[in-house]
């Protein structure tokens, strides 16, 4: 199908949304709210009232309320809620490439998608790799690869993680595996291993804010001690505590070594790979999330690269042949994204009949239950990949990489969009996504003795409020809420004396997201307006 024959997506349910009213990047700093291990899903959270002797002292009551607020835990997110989860065959409706930065609805799955890059002919913008998250830890920034014309190595493009504006290229020239890995804790740091001739094998921590870098280890001497160079090495994602790293040296005579590096102890361990070993030469060992070992070619290894046990790497049983699996997202480790192309079946793009299930699809999996994992289908990517005929670039760069944000509420994927001659990156904003961050402590403009705490997960949140008057029995309110665009809807229960009083509130955000007016109603207080000020 020629791109010129496709209908213009701008005429098909295109959503024009200005995102500039949201919080800018680097300001999405969540409050340091201590969370407990019990969950709240769709119901008001109940707190135990203290003994009567506490009631006479507002100071003691406040201490009790603060203790209870620290028990708030964000509600669990089901990223598949409201999305298609059946496995029926579906057509791939033909639509033209969306205008840059405009939202459009995927016609098969009704999800909100946005093209966030604007590649010229022969240019590629795409996520870095299947095992690297594009967003940083607090989702205020993201990084894409950009390949110009027929370039074989990418530039790294820094972007605002909220409104997707390009902020410039990072001053990192050549990295092993062409990949950077965000720190899991510092939102302004990335890790990479240099592949430049004079610096190959140096593990660097790059500071986004200052543009400076710090060498934290050097794999090159370890490679050299075993007769190998660090040039052309492979680097893998560190553990969640940024403690354990894996690297493969360059290959010589079909042999090499892989290296384990532990940051806190500055220890290196090696394993021979390649010819005359049980290991192939196609990857560096992947640090386990909690830093207690590595996954490597279907085997669990300890931190010293000694065999621990054999494990399955394809535990998601229903994954279709050829599916590429992204890393699990950081904040809820059971969720992952997959992409599938459907090579040999691309003629379905030109047909009005249904295509095979998962053809040209991006889909999500919650693999918590490996026997019956939860799944939903979220977008058609419409890429030709290596079968593209108009690619003045390495056509394999058009193969889709799907990567979730740390919160799991957004998914990036790349596409050549019906062999258009370039590759762009798109984001799927799931129903659980919101740019509005409410988490933290809020004061009441008219009632300084009213304190509100909010714990948020995606577009849902739980909260507690306490009205404290000296010598009076406090009023405690707990509830749940949901954010839908600029509107906030809340259901709550107030504990007044011995009564449980239900009610509801609504608020619409205009420009100031640190000052919100809630219009509320219940059978005890009637209509009331509360102005919350972020502290």
């Amino acid at each position: 199908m020629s791109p010129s024959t496709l209908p213009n997506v701008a005429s098909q349910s295109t959503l024009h949304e200005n995102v500039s009213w949201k919080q800018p990047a680097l300001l999405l700093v969540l409050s340091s709210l201590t969370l407990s291990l019990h969950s709240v899903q769709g119901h008001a959270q109940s707190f135990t009232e203290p003994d009567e002797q506490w009631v006479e002292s507002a100071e003691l009551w406040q201490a009790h309320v603060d203790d209870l607020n620290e028990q708030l835990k964000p509600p669990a997110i089901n990223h598949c809620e409201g999305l298609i989860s059946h496995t029926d065959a579906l057509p791939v409706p033909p639509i033209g490439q969306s205008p840059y930065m405009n939202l459009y609805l995927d016609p098969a799955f009704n999800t909100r998608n946005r093209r966030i890059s604007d590649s010229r002919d022969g240019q590629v913008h795409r996520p870095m790799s299947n095992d690297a998250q594009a967003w940083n830890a607090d989702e205020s920034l993201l990084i894409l690869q950009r390949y110009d014309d027929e370039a074989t190595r990418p530039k790294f493009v820094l972007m605002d993680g909220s409104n997707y504006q390009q902020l410039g290229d990072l001053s990192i020239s050549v990295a092993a595996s062409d990949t950077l890995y965000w720190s899991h804790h510092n939102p302004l740091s990335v890790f990479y291993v240099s592949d430049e001739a004079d610096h190959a094998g140096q593990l660097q921590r790059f500071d986004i804010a200052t543009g400076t870098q710090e060498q934290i280890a050097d794999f090159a001497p370890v490679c050299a001690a075993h007769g190998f160079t660090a040039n052309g090495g492979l680097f893998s994602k560190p553990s969640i505590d940024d403690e354990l790293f894996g690297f493969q040296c360059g290959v010589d005579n079909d042999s090499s070594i892989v290296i384990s590096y532990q940051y806190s102890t500055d220890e290196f361990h090696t394993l021979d790979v390649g010819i005359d070993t049980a290991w192939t030469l196609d990857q560096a060992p992947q640090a386990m999330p909690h830093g207690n070992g590595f996954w490597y070619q279907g085997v669990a290894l300890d931190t010293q690269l000694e065999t621990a046990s054999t494990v399955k790497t394809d535990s998601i049983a229903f994954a279709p042949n050829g599916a590429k699996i992204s890393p699990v997202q950081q904040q809820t480790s059971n969720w992952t994204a997959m992409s599938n192309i459907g090579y040999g079946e691309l003629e379905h793009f030109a047909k009005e009949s249904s295509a095979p299930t998962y053809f040209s699809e991006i889909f999500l999996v919650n693999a918590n239950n490996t026997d019956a994992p939860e799944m939903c289908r979220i977008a058609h990517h419409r890429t030709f990949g290596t079968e593209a005929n108009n690619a003045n670039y390495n056509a394999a760069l058009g193969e889709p990489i799907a990567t979730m944000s740390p919160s799991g509420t957004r998914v990036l994927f790349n596409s050549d969009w019906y062999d258009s001659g370039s590759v762009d990156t798109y984001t799927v904003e799931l129903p659980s996504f919101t740019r509005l961050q409410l988490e933290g402590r809020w004061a009441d403009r008219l009632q300084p003795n009213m304190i509100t705490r909010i714990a948020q997960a995606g577009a849902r949140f739980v909260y507690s409020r306490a009205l404290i008057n000296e010598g009076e029995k406090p009023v405690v309110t707990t509830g749940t809420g949901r954010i839908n665009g600029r509107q906030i809807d809340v259901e709550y229960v107030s504990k007044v004396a011995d009564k449980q009083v239900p009610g509801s509130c609504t608020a619409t955000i205009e420009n100031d997201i640190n000052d919100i007016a809630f219009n509320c109603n219940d059978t005890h207080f009637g209509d009331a307006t509360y102005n919350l000020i972020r502290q």
Side-chain angles (χ1 to χ4, degrees):
M1 176 176 290
S2 167
S4 62
T5 66
L6 298 173
N8 189 340
V9 72
S11 65
Q12 303 213 0
S13 304
T14 301
L15 305 178
H16 301 277
E17 181 182 269
N18 185 341
V19 300
S20 62
W21 70 276
K22 309 286 188 178
Q23 284 184 314
L26 306 183
L27 295 181
L28 302 181
V29 180
L30 300 181
S31 171
S32 57
L33 183 64
T34 304
L35 305 178
S36 73
L37 296 179
H38 67 277
S39 65
V40 180
Q41 300 186 37
H43 300 285
Q45 195 164 354
S46 61
F47 293 144
T48 303
E49 209 172 334
D51 295 335
E52 197 68 31
Q53 62 184 1
W54 287 61
V55 176
E56 297 303 318
S57 170
E59 181 178 349
L60 289 176
W61 173 257
Q62 179 64 67
H64 179 73
V65 169
D66 285 344
D67 181 62
L68 293 173
N69 280 327
E70 288 181 353
Q71 299 176 27
L72 282 178
K73 180 182 179 182
I77 301 178
N78 180 356
H79 297 298
C80 282
E81 182 179 6
L83 300 176
I84 289 178
S85 59
H86 63 69
T87 57
D88 297 345
L90 295 172
V92 187
I95 58 173
Q97 189 179 46
S98 69
Y100 173 53
M101 287 294 189
N102 276 15
L103 276 172
Y104 70 94
L105 292 180
D106 186 287
F109 304 110
N110 202 38
T111 50
R112 292 157 55 94
N113 298 354
R114 188 193 304 267
R115 180 163 69 97
I116 65 170
S117 65
D118 194 18
S119 298
R120 55 177 168 75
D121 189 59
Q123 194 176 51
V124 173
H125 286 87
R126 70 170 201 158
M128 289 181 287
S129 69
N130 279 300
D131 72 334
Q133 285 185 334
W135 277 276
N136 63 346
D138 67 6
E139 301 189 23
S140 60
L141 298 168
L142 66 84
I143 296 174
L144 296 181
Q145 291 177 339
R146 186 187 71 241
Y147 289 83
D148 296 319
D149 302 315
E150 297 181 358
T152 59
R153 305 300 290 262
K155 300 291 186 181
F156 298 101
V157 183
L158 183 67
M159 301 173 67
D160 187 302
S162 180
N163 63 28
Y164 312 117
Q165 295 295 325
Q166 293 194 12
L167 304 176
D169 293 354
L170 296 180
S171 55
I172 298 174
S173 54
V174 183
S177 302
D178 292 330
T179 300
L180 316 178
Y181 295 99
W182 286 105
S183 165
H184 293 93
H185 304 288
N186 184 343
L188 295 178
S189 291
V190 295
F191 296 103
Y192 76 99
V193 173
S194 175
D195 202 30
E196 290 185 286
D198 296 335
H199 305 285
Q202 295 178 359
L203 175 57
Q204 304 280 358
R205 178 166 43 212
F206 183 85
D207 188 294
I208 298 291
T210 64
T212 59
Q213 56 193 20
E214 172 193 8
Q215 180 180 316
I216 62 175
D218 192 353
F219 294 113
V222 183
C223 294
H226 290 76
F228 300 101
T229 177
N231 292 99
L234 301 175
F235 182 47
S236 65
K237 182 176 65 173
S239 55
I240 287 178
D241 56 5
D242 296 338
E243 167 71 14
L244 194 63
F245 300 82
F247 182 74
Q248 178 187 292
C249 301
V251 176
D252 185 31
N253 292 323
D254 296 324
S255 297
S256 186
I257 61 169
V258 294
I259 304 174
S260 159
Y261 174 69
Q262 195 146 12
Y263 176 71
S264 61
T265 61
D266 197 33
E267 292 181 353
F268 296 89
H269 297 278
T270 65
L271 175 68
D272 293 332
V273 297
I275 195 169
D276 296 328
T277 76
W279 313 103
T280 60
L281 293 167
D282 54 356
Q283 64 187 108
Q286 172 66 66
M288 294 181 185
H290 298 293
N292 56 338
F294 294 90
W295 299 123
Y296 188 57
Q297 300 183 19
V299 176
L301 305 178
D302 63 20
T303 58
Q304 298 183 23
L305 298 178
E306 295 180 355
T307 302
S309 63
T310 302
V311 297
K312 291 183 178 180
T313 57
D314 56 349
S315 59
I316 303 175
F318 78 89
N321 291 333
K324 294 186 176 182
I325 304 175
S326 80
V328 293
Q329 53 99 356
Q330 181 175 333
Q331 296 174 17
T332 305
S333 59
N334 297 324
W335 287 92
T336 188
M338 294 187 185
S339 62
N340 194 50
I341 295 181
Y343 284 132
E345 300 178 311
L346 299 186
E347 69 276 4
H348 287 287
F349 284 132
K351 297 179 179 179
E352 295 183 1
S353 59
S354 295
T357 303
Y358 306 123
F359 170 78
S360 192
E361 288 189 24
I362 307 294
F363 44 101
L364 305 183
V365 178
N366 181 354
N368 189 42
N369 182 353
T370 57
D371 293 329
E374 185 173 10
M375 178 277 301
C376 58
R377 302 154 71 182
I378 64 173
H380 281 124
H381 54 71
R382 298 174 168 81
T383 197
F384 277 41
T386 58
E387 294 188 15
N389 294 316
N390 298 316
N392 293 319
Y393 52 84
N394 179 359
L397 297 175
E399 292 191 326
I401 293 172
T403 178
M404 298 184 79
S405 63
S407 66
T409 60
R410 289 179 285 178
V411 178
L412 286 185
F413 69 90
N414 58 295
S415 171
D416 61 36
W417 209 265
Y418 297 111
D419 190 14
S420 65
S422 61
V423 176
D424 275 303
T425 294
Y426 301 76
T427 182
V428 183
E429 298 176 355
L430 301 175
S432 55
F433 170 68
T434 179
R435 289 187 179 84
L436 180 59
Q437 297 296 322
L438 302 179
E439 179 151 336
R441 181 184 172 107
W442 296 73
D444 194 290
R445 180 183 294 278
L446 300 179
Q447 300 184 78
N449 52 345
M450 176 79 80
I451 299 297
T452 300
R453 293 268 194 161
I454 296 176
Q456 182 177 344
R460 294 185 181 275
F461 61 90
V462 295
Y463 76 97
S464 69
R465 285 166 59 82
L467 175 60
I468 305 165
N469 291 317
E470 187 75 35
E472 297 181 8
K473 199 160 189 175
V475 176
V476 178
T477 301
T478 61
T480 62
R482 185 178 180 100
I483 303 166
N484 184 10
R486 304 186 185 200
Q487 182 170 320
I488 305 172
D489 296 302
V490 172
E491 293 183 354
Y492 65 85
V493 175
S494 293
K495 188 167 186 179
V496 183
D498 296 325
K499 297 180 180 179
Q500 300 284 336
V501 180
S504 61
C505 303
T506 61
T508 301
I509 307 300
E510 298 301 335
N511 294 312
D512 190 353
I513 60 174
N514 298 308
D515 186 343
I516 305 175
F518 283 89
N519 297 309
C520 303
N521 177 270
D522 61 47
T523 57
H524 181 84
F525 295 102
D527 295 331
T529 298
Y530 301 99
N531 285 86
L532 298 188
I533 310 298
R534 191 190 299 271
Q535 292 190 312

